[in-house]
Amino acid sequence: QVQLVESGGGSVQAGGSLRLSCAASGYTNNMGWFRQAPGKEREGVAAIDGILSTTYADSVKGRFTISKDNIKNTLYLQMNSLKAEDTAMYYCAADIRWRIPGWQLTPSAYITWGQGTQVTVSS
């Protein structure tokens, strides 16, 4: 039984920064950040596995950083140089249902999801 709660979203100007947090109430191993804009499919943003290997979508490489604090049991997404196209509801997810190719950034591979936090970037 894992519960995830995201926080840290908000409205910022293009070029600004935000840090998202995801507090986990139970054990987690593999975790990821996903986002979904209106009218679009949910897409993977970044993922981190049990040995701290990270995976990023091409669209956020060099701008976003995923990390995990195992003592606080909290996942983070540091987002810098934000663009209007980053506007979306951001969700954290934990633990893998099946290791299909590209599982790190595949929504259907994850078991547990948070409620989401809105990020809006204006240009």
Side-chain angles (χ1 to χ4, degrees):
Q1 180 78 4
V2 175
Q3 294 188 77
L4 306 173
V5 180
E6 302 97 332
S7 62
S11 182
V12 298
Q13 290 285 115
S17 298
L18 285 172
R19 189 177 77 155
L20 306 184
S21 299
C22 174
S25 64
Y27 175 79
T28 58
N29 189 4
N30 301 292
M31 301 189 74
W33 286 100
F34 297 79
R35 65 188 183 187
Q36 188 166 23
K40 299 185 69 176
E41 293 186 354
R42 188 168 299 187
E43 63 177 354
V45 176
I48 187 166
D49 68 15
I51 58 172
L52 304 183
S53 294
T54 57
T55 304
Y56 295 94
D58 288 342
S59 60
V60 307
K61 286 180 180 176
R63 300 188 297 121
F64 291 9
T65 303
I66 188 171
S67 61
K68 189 173 188 294
D69 185 330
N70 287 318
I71 296 175
K72 296 181 179 180
N73 204 22
T74 300
L75 181 74
Y76 301 98
L77 185 68
Q78 178 66 47
M79 305 186 294
N80 298 324
S81 301
L82 284 161
K83 304 174 180 179
E85 52 262 44
D86 295 318
T87 295
M89 184 73 76
Y90 282 70
Y91 301 88
C92 67
D95 292 330
I96 305 302
R97 191 186 307 276
W98 45 63
R99 291 185 181 271
I100 58 175
W103 61 267
Q104 294 94 330
L105 300 179
T106 301
S108 64
Y110 287 79
I111 297 173
T112 303
W113 294 81
Q115 83 289 345
T117 185
Q118 179 68 38
V119 172
T120 302
V121 184
S122 59
S123 60

